[in-house]
mmCIF file of all heavy atoms in Angstrom:
data_model
loop_
_atom_site.group_PDB
_atom_site.id
_atom_site.type_symbol
_atom_site.label_atom_id
_atom_site.label_comp_id
_atom_site.label_asym_id
_atom_site.label_seq_id
_atom_site.Cartn_x
_atom_site.Cartn_y
_atom_site.Cartn_z
ATOM 1 N N GLY A 186 12.985 5.207 14.850
ATOM 2 C CA GLY A 186 11.655 5.236 15.434
ATOM 3 C C GLY A 186 10.621 4.510 14.622
ATOM 4 O O GLY A 186 10.922 3.884 13.590
ATOM 5 N N SER A 187 9.362 4.583 15.076
ATOM 6 C CA SER A 187 8.254 3.886 14.434
ATOM 7 C C SER A 187 7.075 4.818 14.214
ATOM 8 O O SER A 187 6.887 5.785 14.961
ATOM 9 C CB SER A 187 7.814 2.701 15.316
ATOM 10 O OG SER A 187 8.845 1.763 15.483
ATOM 11 N N LEU A 188 6.292 4.485 13.199
ATOM 12 C CA LEU A 188 5.026 5.178 12.920
ATOM 13 C C LEU A 188 4.069 4.155 12.344
ATOM 14 O O LEU A 188 4.493 3.195 11.706
ATOM 15 C CB LEU A 188 5.213 6.293 11.891
ATOM 16 C CG LEU A 188 5.692 7.665 12.337
ATOM 17 C CD1 LEU A 188 5.871 8.553 11.122
ATOM 18 C CD2 LEU A 188 4.759 8.309 13.341
ATOM 19 N N ARG A 189 2.792 4.402 12.530
ATOM 20 C CA ARG A 189 1.781 3.581 11.887
ATOM 21 C C ARG A 189 0.846 4.458 11.082
ATOM 22 O O ARG A 189 0.233 5.384 11.623
ATOM 23 C CB ARG A 189 0.963 2.757 12.911
ATOM 24 C CG ARG A 189 0.047 1.757 12.231
ATOM 25 C CD ARG A 189 -0.727 0.908 13.222
ATOM 26 N NE ARG A 189 -1.842 1.626 13.810
ATOM 27 C CZ ARG A 189 -2.841 1.049 14.481
ATOM 28 N NH1 ARG A 189 -2.842 -0.282 14.622
ATOM 29 N NH2 ARG A 189 -3.806 1.786 15.011
ATOM 30 N N LEU A 190 0.756 4.158 9.797
ATOM 31 C CA LEU A 190 -0.179 4.867 8.928
ATOM 32 C C LEU A 190 -1.477 4.056 8.822
ATOM 33 O O LEU A 190 -1.464 2.841 8.834
ATOM 34 C CB LEU A 190 0.421 5.045 7.534
ATOM 35 C CG LEU A 190 1.790 5.703 7.453
ATOM 36 C CD1 LEU A 190 2.226 5.853 5.994
ATOM 37 C CD2 LEU A 190 1.805 7.045 8.159
ATOM 38 N N SER A 191 -2.574 4.789 8.664
ATOM 39 C CA SER A 191 -3.874 4.166 8.512
ATOM 40 C C SER A 191 -4.569 4.695 7.263
ATOM 41 O O SER A 191 -4.368 5.849 6.880
ATOM 42 C CB SER A 191 -4.782 4.473 9.720
ATOM 43 O OG SER A 191 -4.204 4.008 10.914
ATOM 44 N N CYS A 192 -5.371 3.842 6.651
ATOM 45 C CA CYS A 192 -6.124 4.217 5.448
ATOM 46 C C CYS A 192 -7.512 3.615 5.550
ATOM 47 O O CYS A 192 -7.640 2.382 5.659
ATOM 48 C CB CYS A 192 -5.418 3.732 4.197
ATOM 49 S SG CYS A 192 -6.340 3.930 2.680
ATOM 50 N N ALA A 193 -8.522 4.472 5.497
ATOM 51 C CA ALA A 193 -9.911 3.999 5.607
ATOM 52 C C ALA A 193 -10.655 4.282 4.319
ATOM 53 O O ALA A 193 -10.879 5.442 3.961
ATOM 54 C CB ALA A 193 -10.601 4.683 6.775
ATOM 55 N N PRO A 194 -11.045 3.238 3.581
ATOM 56 C CA PRO A 194 -11.867 3.450 2.378
ATOM 57 C C PRO A 194 -13.284 3.877 2.735
ATOM 58 O O PRO A 194 -13.750 3.639 3.846
ATOM 59 C CB PRO A 194 -11.860 2.077 1.719
ATOM 60 C CG PRO A 194 -10.751 1.312 2.343
ATOM 61 C CD PRO A 194 -10.644 1.841 3.736
ATOM 62 N N SER A 195 -13.951 4.491 1.772
ATOM 63 C CA SER A 195 -15.303 4.988 2.011
ATOM 64 C C SER A 195 -16.340 3.877 2.034
ATOM 65 O O SER A 195 -17.492 4.109 2.443
ATOM 66 C CB SER A 195 -15.683 6.031 0.932
ATOM 67 O OG SER A 195 -15.541 5.463 -0.372
ATOM 68 N N ARG A 196 -15.943 2.693 1.576
ATOM 69 C CA ARG A 196 -16.832 1.544 1.651
ATOM 70 C C ARG A 196 -15.995 0.276 1.750
ATOM 71 O O ARG A 196 -14.769 0.339 1.600
ATOM 72 C CB ARG A 196 -17.757 1.482 0.424
ATOM 73 C CG ARG A 196 -17.062 1.514 -0.924
ATOM 74 C CD ARG A 196 -18.067 1.610 -2.043
ATOM 75 N NE ARG A 196 -17.449 1.748 -3.351
ATOM 76 C CZ ARG A 196 -17.078 0.756 -4.115
ATOM 77 N NH1 ARG A 196 -17.297 -0.480 -3.719
ATOM 78 N NH2 ARG A 196 -16.538 0.964 -5.318
ATOM 79 N N SER A 197 -16.631 -0.832 1.991
ATOM 80 C CA SER A 197 -15.921 -2.076 2.186
ATOM 81 C C SER A 197 -15.453 -2.638 0.843
ATOM 82 O O SER A 197 -16.283 -2.969 -0.004
ATOM 83 C CB SER A 197 -16.816 -3.095 2.894
ATOM 84 O OG SER A 197 -16.167 -4.299 3.094
ATOM 85 N N ILE A 198 -14.130 -2.754 0.664
ATOM 86 C CA ILE A 198 -13.602 -3.158 -0.643
ATOM 87 C C ILE A 198 -12.512 -4.214 -0.557
ATOM 88 O O ILE A 198 -11.979 -4.663 -1.581
ATOM 89 C CB ILE A 198 -13.035 -1.945 -1.425
ATOM 90 C CG1 ILE A 198 -11.910 -1.287 -0.603
ATOM 91 C CG2 ILE A 198 -14.133 -0.942 -1.737
ATOM 92 C CD1 ILE A 198 -11.154 -0.226 -1.375
ATOM 93 N N PHE A 199 -12.121 -4.610 0.649
ATOM 94 C CA PHE A 199 -10.951 -5.467 0.779
ATOM 95 C C PHE A 199 -11.116 -6.825 0.107
ATOM 96 O O PHE A 199 -10.121 -7.451 -0.241
ATOM 97 C CB PHE A 199 -10.633 -5.671 2.256
ATOM 98 C CG PHE A 199 -10.201 -4.410 2.976
ATOM 99 C CD1 PHE A 199 -10.282 -4.333 4.355
ATOM 100 C CD2 PHE A 199 -9.723 -3.317 2.281
ATOM 101 C CE1 PHE A 199 -9.898 -3.177 5.027
ATOM 102 C CE2 PHE A 199 -9.325 -2.157 2.936
ATOM 103 C CZ PHE A 199 -9.416 -2.093 4.309
ATOM 104 N N SER A 200 -12.324 -7.278 -0.080
ATOM 105 C CA SER A 200 -12.543 -8.588 -0.691
ATOM 106 C C SER A 200 -12.298 -8.574 -2.185
ATOM 107 O O SER A 200 -12.204 -9.651 -2.811
ATOM 108 C CB SER A 200 -13.957 -9.068 -0.408
ATOM 109 O OG SER A 200 -14.904 -8.207 -0.998
ATOM 110 N N SER A 201 -12.188 -7.387 -2.787
ATOM 111 C CA SER A 201 -12.042 -7.331 -4.252
ATOM 112 C C SER A 201 -10.952 -6.392 -4.748
ATOM 113 O O SER A 201 -10.649 -6.390 -5.930
ATOM 114 C CB SER A 201 -13.382 -6.951 -4.889
ATOM 115 O OG SER A 201 -13.849 -5.710 -4.391
ATOM 116 N N TYR A 202 -10.381 -5.579 -3.846
ATOM 117 C CA TYR A 202 -9.373 -4.604 -4.246
ATOM 118 C C TYR A 202 -8.014 -4.979 -3.679
ATOM 119 O O TYR A 202 -7.913 -5.413 -2.534
ATOM 120 C CB TYR A 202 -9.720 -3.209 -3.750
ATOM 121 C CG TYR A 202 -10.720 -2.450 -4.603
ATOM 122 C CD1 TYR A 202 -12.052 -2.867 -4.633
ATOM 123 C CD2 TYR A 202 -10.358 -1.349 -5.350
ATOM 124 C CE1 TYR A 202 -12.984 -2.168 -5.392
ATOM 125 C CE2 TYR A 202 -11.275 -0.649 -6.114
ATOM 126 C CZ TYR A 202 -12.595 -1.053 -6.115
ATOM 127 O OH TYR A 202 -13.520 -0.373 -6.869
ATOM 128 N N ILE A 203 -6.966 -4.751 -4.456
ATOM 129 C CA ILE A 203 -5.607 -4.792 -3.917
ATOM 130 C C ILE A 203 -5.377 -3.445 -3.252
ATOM 131 O O ILE A 203 -5.570 -2.382 -3.864
ATOM 132 C CB ILE A 203 -4.567 -4.995 -5.036
ATOM 133 C CG1 ILE A 203 -4.745 -6.380 -5.669
ATOM 134 C CG2 ILE A 203 -3.153 -4.868 -4.462
ATOM 135 C CD1 ILE A 203 -3.867 -6.615 -6.884
ATOM 136 N N MET A 204 -4.995 -3.462 -1.985
ATOM 137 C CA MET A 204 -4.673 -2.241 -1.246
ATOM 138 C C MET A 204 -3.167 -2.101 -1.179
ATOM 139 O O MET A 204 -2.437 -3.075 -0.971
ATOM 140 C CB MET A 204 -5.263 -2.299 0.171
ATOM 141 C CG MET A 204 -6.776 -2.474 0.208
ATOM 142 S SD MET A 204 -7.661 -1.146 -0.608
ATOM 143 C CE MET A 204 -7.128 0.260 0.377
ATOM 144 N N ALA A 205 -2.709 -0.867 -1.341
ATOM 145 C CA ALA A 205 -1.259 -0.645 -1.360
ATOM 146 C C ALA A 205 -0.900 0.674 -0.736
ATOM 147 O O ALA A 205 -1.734 1.587 -0.628
ATOM 148 C CB ALA A 205 -0.755 -0.693 -2.802
ATOM 149 N N TRP A 206 0.346 0.770 -0.314
ATOM 150 C CA TRP A 206 0.957 2.027 0.108
ATOM 151 C C TRP A 206 2.076 2.361 -0.864
ATOM 152 O O TRP A 206 2.915 1.523 -1.168
ATOM 153 C CB TRP A 206 1.525 1.936 1.519
ATOM 154 C CG TRP A 206 0.467 1.871 2.580
ATOM 155 C CD1 TRP A 206 -0.068 0.781 3.190
ATOM 156 C CD2 TRP A 206 -0.183 3.007 3.174
ATOM 157 N NE1 TRP A 206 -1.001 1.131 4.105
ATOM 158 C CE2 TRP A 206 -1.103 2.507 4.121
ATOM 159 C CE3 TRP A 206 -0.108 4.387 3.004
ATOM 160 C CZ2 TRP A 206 -1.919 3.333 4.899
ATOM 161 C CZ3 TRP A 206 -0.914 5.218 3.770
ATOM 162 C CH2 TRP A 206 -1.806 4.702 4.717
ATOM 163 N N TYR A 207 2.050 3.590 -1.355
ATOM 164 C CA TYR A 207 3.107 4.119 -2.204
ATOM 165 C C TYR A 207 3.742 5.288 -1.458
ATOM 166 O O TYR A 207 3.186 5.836 -0.515
ATOM 167 C CB TYR A 207 2.527 4.659 -3.525
ATOM 168 C CG TYR A 207 2.139 3.587 -4.512
ATOM 169 C CD1 TYR A 207 1.018 2.795 -4.322
ATOM 170 C CD2 TYR A 207 2.881 3.391 -5.677
ATOM 171 C CE1 TYR A 207 0.650 1.815 -5.241
ATOM 172 C CE2 TYR A 207 2.529 2.427 -6.610
ATOM 173 C CZ TYR A 207 1.410 1.653 -6.387
ATOM 174 O OH TYR A 207 1.054 0.690 -7.305
ATOM 175 N N ARG A 208 4.918 5.685 -1.929
ATOM 176 C CA ARG A 208 5.530 6.898 -1.394
ATOM 177 C C ARG A 208 6.251 7.655 -2.522
ATOM 178 O O ARG A 208 6.634 7.074 -3.519
ATOM 179 C CB ARG A 208 6.527 6.564 -0.268
ATOM 180 C CG ARG A 208 7.770 5.822 -0.734
ATOM 181 C CD ARG A 208 8.616 5.441 0.491
ATOM 182 N NE ARG A 208 9.833 4.739 0.105
ATOM 183 C CZ ARG A 208 10.660 4.154 0.948
ATOM 184 N NH1 ARG A 208 10.398 4.185 2.266
ATOM 185 N NH2 ARG A 208 11.759 3.550 0.525
ATOM 186 N N GLN A 209 6.378 8.953 -2.300
ATOM 187 C CA GLN A 209 7.079 9.787 -3.260
ATOM 188 C C GLN A 209 7.904 10.810 -2.508
ATOM 189 O O GLN A 209 7.366 11.650 -1.749
ATOM 190 C CB GLN A 209 6.096 10.481 -4.187
ATOM 191 C CG GLN A 209 6.774 11.235 -5.321
ATOM 192 C CD GLN A 209 5.811 11.627 -6.420
ATOM 193 O OE1 GLN A 209 4.583 11.684 -6.199
ATOM 194 N NE2 GLN A 209 6.328 11.908 -7.596
ATOM 195 N N ALA A 210 9.194 10.721 -2.704
ATOM 196 C CA ALA A 210 10.129 11.670 -2.091
ATOM 197 C C ALA A 210 10.358 12.823 -3.080
ATOM 198 O O ALA A 210 10.176 12.640 -4.289
ATOM 199 C CB ALA A 210 11.432 10.977 -1.778
ATOM 200 N N PRO A 211 10.776 13.985 -2.615
ATOM 201 C CA PRO A 211 11.021 15.130 -3.517
ATOM 202 C C PRO A 211 11.999 14.761 -4.620
ATOM 203 O O PRO A 211 13.065 14.210 -4.362
ATOM 204 C CB PRO A 211 11.595 16.181 -2.570
ATOM 205 C CG PRO A 211 11.057 15.829 -1.228
ATOM 206 C CD PRO A 211 10.982 14.339 -1.197
ATOM 207 N N GLY A 212 11.620 15.052 -5.851
ATOM 208 C CA GLY A 212 12.487 14.808 -6.971
ATOM 209 C C GLY A 212 12.560 13.368 -7.429
ATOM 210 O O GLY A 212 13.355 13.046 -8.324
ATOM 211 N N LYS A 213 11.780 12.505 -6.816
ATOM 212 C CA LYS A 213 11.808 11.087 -7.160
ATOM 213 C C LYS A 213 10.435 10.608 -7.645
ATOM 214 O O LYS A 213 9.411 11.243 -7.375
ATOM 215 C CB LYS A 213 12.273 10.249 -5.968
ATOM 216 C CG LYS A 213 13.700 10.522 -5.542
ATOM 217 C CD LYS A 213 14.149 9.547 -4.482
ATOM 218 C CE LYS A 213 15.600 9.755 -4.111
ATOM 219 N NZ LYS A 213 16.074 8.753 -3.105
ATOM 220 N N GLN A 214 10.455 9.469 -8.329
ATOM 221 C CA GLN A 214 9.210 8.894 -8.803
ATOM 222 C C GLN A 214 8.476 8.210 -7.644
ATOM 223 O O GLN A 214 9.095 7.756 -6.667
ATOM 224 C CB GLN A 214 9.487 7.879 -9.909
ATOM 225 C CG GLN A 214 9.909 8.487 -11.228
ATOM 226 C CD GLN A 214 9.958 7.482 -12.364
ATOM 227 O OE1 GLN A 214 10.163 6.288 -12.148
ATOM 228 N NE2 GLN A 214 9.747 7.948 -13.586
ATOM 229 N N ARG A 215 7.161 8.144 -7.807
ATOM 230 C CA ARG A 215 6.359 7.424 -6.810
ATOM 231 C C ARG A 215 6.679 5.920 -6.928
ATOM 232 O O ARG A 215 6.779 5.381 -8.010
ATOM 233 C CB ARG A 215 4.875 7.672 -7.057
ATOM 234 C CG ARG A 215 3.968 7.172 -5.960
ATOM 235 C CD ARG A 215 2.515 7.618 -6.174
ATOM 236 N NE ARG A 215 2.387 9.067 -6.126
ATOM 237 C CZ ARG A 215 1.220 9.691 -6.101
ATOM 238 N NH1 ARG A 215 0.085 8.990 -6.119
ATOM 239 N NH2 ARG A 215 1.170 11.014 -6.070
ATOM 240 N N GLU A 216 6.834 5.273 -5.772
ATOM 241 C CA GLU A 216 7.157 3.861 -5.749
ATOM 242 C C GLU A 216 6.238 3.114 -4.797
ATOM 243 O O GLU A 216 5.787 3.677 -3.778
ATOM 244 C CB GLU A 216 8.619 3.633 -5.336
ATOM 245 C CG GLU A 216 8.984 4.125 -3.954
ATOM 246 C CD GLU A 216 10.453 3.925 -3.625
ATOM 247 O OE1 GLU A 216 11.195 3.331 -4.455
ATOM 248 O OE2 GLU A 216 10.864 4.341 -2.526
ATOM 249 N N MET A 217 5.973 1.860 -5.141
ATOM 250 C CA MET A 217 5.117 1.055 -4.275
ATOM 251 C C MET A 217 5.941 0.538 -3.097
ATOM 252 O O MET A 217 7.016 -0.048 -3.277
ATOM 253 C CB MET A 217 4.511 -0.121 -5.012
ATOM 254 C CG MET A 217 3.413 -0.788 -4.208
ATOM 255 S SD MET A 217 2.897 -2.372 -4.873
ATOM 256 C CE MET A 217 4.257 -3.422 -4.307
ATOM 257 N N VAL A 218 5.441 0.721 -1.917
ATOM 258 C CA VAL A 218 6.137 0.302 -0.693
ATOM 259 C C VAL A 218 5.664 -1.095 -0.277
ATOM 260 O O VAL A 218 6.472 -1.955 0.057
ATOM 261 C CB VAL A 218 5.854 1.288 0.439
ATOM 262 C CG1 VAL A 218 6.483 0.812 1.736
ATOM 263 C CG2 VAL A 218 6.403 2.673 0.077
ATOM 264 N N ALA A 219 4.348 -1.308 -0.329
ATOM 265 C CA ALA A 219 3.787 -2.599 0.090
ATOM 266 C C ALA A 219 2.368 -2.718 -0.433
ATOM 267 O O ALA A 219 1.705 -1.701 -0.634
ATOM 268 C CB ALA A 219 3.788 -2.724 1.619
ATOM 269 N N ASN A 220 1.954 -3.951 -0.678
ATOM 270 C CA ASN A 220 0.553 -4.160 -1.013
ATOM 271 C C ASN A 220 0.027 -5.437 -0.374
ATOM 272 O O ASN A 220 0.796 -6.277 0.098
ATOM 273 C CB ASN A 220 0.269 -4.129 -2.517
ATOM 274 C CG ASN A 220 0.865 -5.323 -3.271
ATOM 275 O OD1 ASN A 220 1.198 -6.357 -2.703
ATOM 276 N ND2 ASN A 220 0.927 -5.186 -4.572
ATOM 277 N N ILE A 221 -1.315 -5.528 -0.324
ATOM 278 C CA ILE A 221 -1.973 -6.704 0.220
ATOM 279 C C ILE A 221 -3.149 -7.047 -0.674
ATOM 280 O O ILE A 221 -3.954 -6.190 -1.028
ATOM 281 C CB ILE A 221 -2.402 -6.486 1.691
ATOM 282 C CG1 ILE A 221 -3.022 -7.757 2.268
ATOM 283 C CG2 ILE A 221 -3.324 -5.282 1.840
ATOM 284 C CD1 ILE A 221 -3.161 -7.716 3.798
ATOM 285 N N THR A 222 -3.190 -8.311 -1.114
ATOM 286 C CA THR A 222 -4.216 -8.725 -2.064
ATOM 287 C C THR A 222 -5.492 -9.123 -1.306
ATOM 288 O O THR A 222 -5.478 -9.305 -0.090
ATOM 289 C CB THR A 222 -3.736 -9.912 -2.887
ATOM 290 O OG1 THR A 222 -3.596 -11.051 -2.020
ATOM 291 C CG2 THR A 222 -2.393 -9.615 -3.543
ATOM 292 N N PRO A 223 -6.594 -9.324 -2.021
ATOM 293 C CA PRO A 223 -7.820 -9.778 -1.342
ATOM 294 C C PRO A 223 -7.615 -11.102 -0.585
ATOM 295 O O PRO A 223 -8.276 -11.327 0.444
ATOM 296 C CB PRO A 223 -8.806 -9.956 -2.503
ATOM 297 C CG PRO A 223 -8.378 -8.917 -3.496
ATOM 298 C CD PRO A 223 -6.862 -8.927 -3.402
ATOM 299 N N SER A 224 -6.714 -11.945 -1.054
ATOM 300 C CA SER A 224 -6.465 -13.214 -0.368
ATOM 301 C C SER A 224 -5.540 -13.056 0.845
ATOM 302 O O SER A 224 -5.376 -14.003 1.614
ATOM 303 C CB SER A 224 -5.849 -14.223 -1.335
ATOM 304 O OG SER A 224 -4.563 -13.794 -1.742
ATOM 305 N N GLY A 225 -4.970 -11.858 0.986
ATOM 306 C CA GLY A 225 -4.107 -11.599 2.129
ATOM 307 C C GLY A 225 -2.618 -11.716 1.842
ATOM 308 O O GLY A 225 -1.791 -11.549 2.740
ATOM 309 N N ARG A 226 -2.272 -12.004 0.607
ATOM 310 C CA ARG A 226 -0.853 -12.080 0.249
ATOM 311 C C ARG A 226 -0.258 -10.677 0.272
ATOM 312 O O ARG A 226 -0.891 -9.709 -0.179
ATOM 313 C CB ARG A 226 -0.685 -12.704 -1.124
ATOM 314 C CG ARG A 226 0.762 -12.978 -1.501
ATOM 315 C CD ARG A 226 0.821 -13.657 -2.854
ATOM 316 N NE ARG A 226 0.384 -12.767 -3.922
ATOM 317 C CZ ARG A 226 0.199 -13.158 -5.173
ATOM 318 N NH1 ARG A 226 0.358 -14.430 -5.501
ATOM 319 N NH2 ARG A 226 -0.196 -12.303 -6.092
ATOM 320 N N THR A 227 0.968 -10.567 0.762
ATOM 321 C CA THR A 227 1.628 -9.269 0.852
ATOM 322 C C THR A 227 2.903 -9.233 0.029
ATOM 323 O O THR A 227 3.545 -10.254 -0.195
ATOM 324 C CB THR A 227 1.971 -8.926 2.320
ATOM 325 O OG1 THR A 227 2.826 -9.963 2.853
ATOM 326 C CG2 THR A 227 0.721 -8.811 3.157
ATOM 327 N N ASN A 228 3.250 -8.040 -0.417
ATOM 328 C CA ASN A 228 4.473 -7.812 -1.182
ATOM 329 C C ASN A 228 5.103 -6.515 -0.688
ATOM 330 O O ASN A 228 4.394 -5.577 -0.317
ATOM 331 C CB ASN A 228 4.159 -7.681 -2.680
ATOM 332 C CG ASN A 228 3.572 -8.931 -3.258
ATOM 333 O OD1 ASN A 228 4.266 -9.914 -3.504
ATOM 334 N ND2 ASN A 228 2.257 -8.910 -3.465
ATOM 335 N N TYR A 229 6.437 -6.480 -0.692
ATOM 336 C CA TYR A 229 7.159 -5.316 -0.161
ATOM 337 C C TYR A 229 8.287 -4.894 -1.079
ATOM 338 O O TYR A 229 8.925 -5.704 -1.751
ATOM 339 C CB TYR A 229 7.763 -5.665 1.207
ATOM 340 C CG TYR A 229 6.742 -5.935 2.268
ATOM 341 C CD1 TYR A 229 6.317 -7.231 2.532
ATOM 342 C CD2 TYR A 229 6.196 -4.903 3.021
ATOM 343 C CE1 TYR A 229 5.371 -7.505 3.516
ATOM 344 C CE2 TYR A 229 5.257 -5.158 4.004
ATOM 345 C CZ TYR A 229 4.840 -6.453 4.240
ATOM 346 O OH TYR A 229 3.904 -6.717 5.206
ATOM 347 N N LEU A 230 8.539 -3.583 -1.066
ATOM 348 C CA LEU A 230 9.738 -3.034 -1.668
ATOM 349 C C LEU A 230 10.929 -3.612 -0.914
ATOM 350 O O LEU A 230 10.894 -3.715 0.316
ATOM 351 C CB LEU A 230 9.678 -1.505 -1.521
ATOM 352 C CG LEU A 230 10.797 -0.674 -2.109
ATOM 353 C CD1 LEU A 230 10.787 -0.745 -3.617
ATOM 354 C CD2 LEU A 230 10.659 0.771 -1.614
ATOM 355 N N ASP A 231 11.983 -3.975 -1.654
ATOM 356 C CA ASP A 231 13.121 -4.622 -1.014
ATOM 357 C C ASP A 231 13.698 -3.809 0.139
ATOM 358 O O ASP A 231 14.065 -4.352 1.188
ATOM 359 C CB ASP A 231 14.225 -4.884 -2.039
ATOM 360 C CG ASP A 231 13.932 -6.090 -2.928
ATOM 361 O OD1 ASP A 231 13.006 -6.856 -2.598
ATOM 362 O OD2 ASP A 231 14.608 -6.232 -3.946
ATOM 363 N N SER A 232 13.752 -2.508 -0.012
ATOM 364 C CA SER A 232 14.400 -1.680 0.991
ATOM 365 C C SER A 232 13.613 -1.563 2.301
ATOM 366 O O SER A 232 14.138 -1.064 3.300
ATOM 367 C CB SER A 232 14.675 -0.276 0.450
ATOM 368 O OG SER A 232 13.455 0.361 0.100
#
């Protein structure tokens, strides 16, 4: 199946902040899933 997560900052920051999604499963370390830079470049966890 599919899901869409949303994240709304309290102010406009996309022009200067790297935004990312992390996840943490029980008993595991938090890992970065994806990020997007101010220029729009994206990076993803291989899995």
Side-chain angles (χ1 to χ4, degrees):
S187 298
L188 277 176
R189 188 178 76 164
L190 306 182
S191 301
C192 172
S195 56
R196 54 186 175 89
S197 180
I198 59 172
F199 295 160
S200 63
S201 57
Y202 279 70
I203 296 173
M204 301 300 299
W206 288 96
Y207 284 72
R208 69 185 180 187
Q209 187 166 20
K213 295 188 177 182
Q214 288 189 333
R215 190 173 296 190
E216 61 182 358
M217 192 192 77
V218 175
N220 70 18
I221 183 166
T222 68
S224 66
R226 187 177 68 189
T227 58
N228 298 284
Y229 295 94
L230 182 68
D231 283 347
S232 62

